[in-house]
Amino acid sequence: VAAITVALWANKHAHDMTGDNDALIGRQYGSVERDVWSLGYFPQPGVEYIWALSTASVEPSERFVSGRSSNGDLETWVHLAATHVGQRSQLYVDGVLVNEVPTVGDLYAETTPIIIGAGENGVRSEFSSVTIDDLRIYDHVLTPGQIAVIAAP
């Protein structure tokens, strides 16, 4: 997968403090835990928003793009958008770029189902306590202006 944008509105109802990534949406390799890509939040430390992805380099390479803390966002609608193309991956919160990291290569091509609202390939004990709306997946990277438009209330 050469390019992707994942965008959604999320309203968190609780922090999952189990120490694992709370996925809002993602795709994993077959039955293993490594993400091809996942957008969610990580409860330790500071409950940061996170865009996790693995590229198809010679050795599998998992990268994390984390953003600001989501501690104050309980029962509040927040727009999240994440992009990946070539050598950069970005995370936006409420239409604003909060972090960008260098990456190497395309994402793994995977045919596993996309999992919404749960991690670990939909393991029942790993559901996120969140309401998700207006979920969008694009096969290209949206511009910062396009992300600002879809993030507008």
Side-chain angles (χ1 to χ4, degrees):
V1 176
I4 189 170
T5 298
V6 178
L8 57 82
W9 284 92
N11 186 337
K12 286 178 21 182
H13 305 298
H15 295 307
D16 173 10
M17 299 309 282
T18 63
D20 204 359
N21 181 8
D22 234 15
L24 301 174
I25 181 170
R27 171 172 271 164
Q28 293 181 319
Y29 300 119
S31 62
V32 300
E33 294 182 20
R34 180 174 287 180
D35 298 307
V36 173
W37 55 265
S38 176
L39 179 59
Y41 56 95
F42 190 79
Q44 306 291 337
V47 193
E48 297 174 330
Y49 292 110
I50 189 167
W51 172 231
L53 57 144
S54 294
T55 58
S57 57
V58 174
E59 190 66 33
S61 166
E62 193 164 31
R63 297 286 183 254
F64 300 95
V65 184
S66 61
R68 67 171 174 78
S69 171
S70 67
N71 280 328
D73 293 342
L74 286 180
E75 303 301 337
T76 303
W77 284 101
V78 175
H79 189 268
L80 300 174
T83 68
H84 171 77
V85 64
Q87 297 187 353
R88 69 184 169 114
S89 296
Q90 300 175 315
L91 177 65
Y92 293 78
V93 178
D94 290 330
V96 176
L97 178 65
V98 295
N99 200 0
E100 177 177 22
V101 299
T103 53
V104 177
D106 295 344
L107 298 178
Y108 273 97
E110 182 60 67
T111 59
T112 57
I114 292 173
I115 304 296
I116 301 170
E120 308 287 331
N121 283 318
V123 173
R124 293 188 189 274
S125 64
E126 294 200 15
F127 286 114
S128 301
S129 182
V130 64
T131 302
I132 297 171
D133 193 22
D134 196 18
L135 169 61
R136 302 173 186 208
I137 302 173
Y138 299 89
D139 64 356
H140 58 279
V141 171
L142 295 184
T143 67
Q146 291 169 317
I147 290 172
V149 167
I150 64 172

